[in-house]
Amino acid sequence: MNKSEIIALIATEMEAILDTAKQMDDHTFFLGIAGKWSIAENIEHLHLSVKPLNQALILPFFAFRWLFGRPSRTSRTFEGLSEKYTQKLSAGGRATKAFIPRATGTKAEILMRFEKTHRMFLSKIQHIAESDLEGHILPHPLLGKLTLLEMLFFTAFHIRHHHNIVLKAL
């Protein structure tokens, strides 16, 4: 999957969860489901997960190497990364404190935060050379160090994963 394809996938997943959320009433949007996160909290969690990526992508790439090192392996495929994430969740992996949502504000505000953060992320990715996606790593709280390409794969899969949670809750 090349950069254009993964950007398109992230955009598609983003639009799909937004469309689902926009169609529901406010009560359903904020309603917790049997001890699980509400739909609002799922959307806020996705916002919180991309926010640090936007901050990291401000850094010059030499800072990535200084802070996180160099990749020691080639990137996993989208399927390989999705499988690893699913295994981690099955083994009890959960969001760390920084990514546990507190859905504050109105439905419109929560959706706007999510959309703004993800559109900014997509914009930043547009300006990264395809070769740089394999050459730099970032830490992930559950998966360890990921190449930028894997982080893009994760972002697309993560949105899909939470969209599926939302759809099951409905």
Side-chain angles (χ1 to χ4, degrees):
M1 195 176 297
N2 67 32
K3 184 176 90 167
S4 296
E5 292 168 332
I6 192 66
I7 287 171
L9 179 60
I10 293 169
T12 298
E13 297 296 342
M14 183 185 87
E15 292 298 332
I17 197 168
L18 278 171
D19 287 346
T20 299
K22 286 175 181 176
Q23 291 176 28
M24 64 187 62
D25 61 65
D26 285 9
H27 176 74
T28 304
F29 186 72
F30 288 102
L31 184 65
I33 306 126
K36 304 271 185 186
W37 289 345
S38 69
I39 294 158
E41 289 167 325
N42 275 277
I43 301 282
E44 184 69 12
H45 169 72
L46 291 170
H47 158 72
L48 292 172
S49 70
V50 169
K51 191 175 175 183
L53 294 176
N54 283 336
Q55 293 167 335
L57 291 174
I58 293 170
L59 298 171
F61 282 135
F62 75 82
F64 279 66
R65 291 213 169 141
W66 183 71
L67 291 167
F68 311 119
R70 295 177 184 267
S72 59
R73 57 175 175 71
T74 58
S75 294
R76 293 175 191 90
T77 62
F78 178 84
E79 293 77 15
L81 185 82
S82 302
E83 184 178 312
K84 180 172 174 129
Y85 181 65
T86 302
Q87 289 170 352
K88 290 283 190 179
L89 292 178
S90 295
R94 295 291 172 254
T96 57
K97 186 177 179 179
F99 303 102
I100 295 176
R102 290 178 296 294
T104 58
T106 66
K107 176 183 169 185
E109 290 167 340
I110 292 167
L111 294 178
M112 183 187 70
R113 274 195 303 267
F114 166 85
E115 186 171 11
K116 181 179 177 185
T117 304
H118 282 76
R119 291 211 184 280
M120 182 184 300
F121 180 63
L122 291 173
S123 174
K124 288 175 185 251
I125 296 165
Q126 291 284 356
H127 302 293
I128 297 174
E130 191 125 8
S131 60
D132 285 326
L133 296 177
E134 291 273 358
H136 303 286
I137 56 175
L138 285 171
H140 184 280
L142 190 59
L143 299 172
K145 291 183 178 178
L146 300 179
T147 65
L148 287 177
L149 179 61
E150 290 172 326
M151 198 62 85
L152 299 183
F153 290 159
F154 170 77
T155 302
F157 184 75
H158 194 220
I159 298 169
R160 180 182 295 169
H161 168 73
H162 283 276
H163 189 201
N164 286 335
I165 291 170
V166 165
L167 292 172
K168 285 178 189 173
L170 297 175

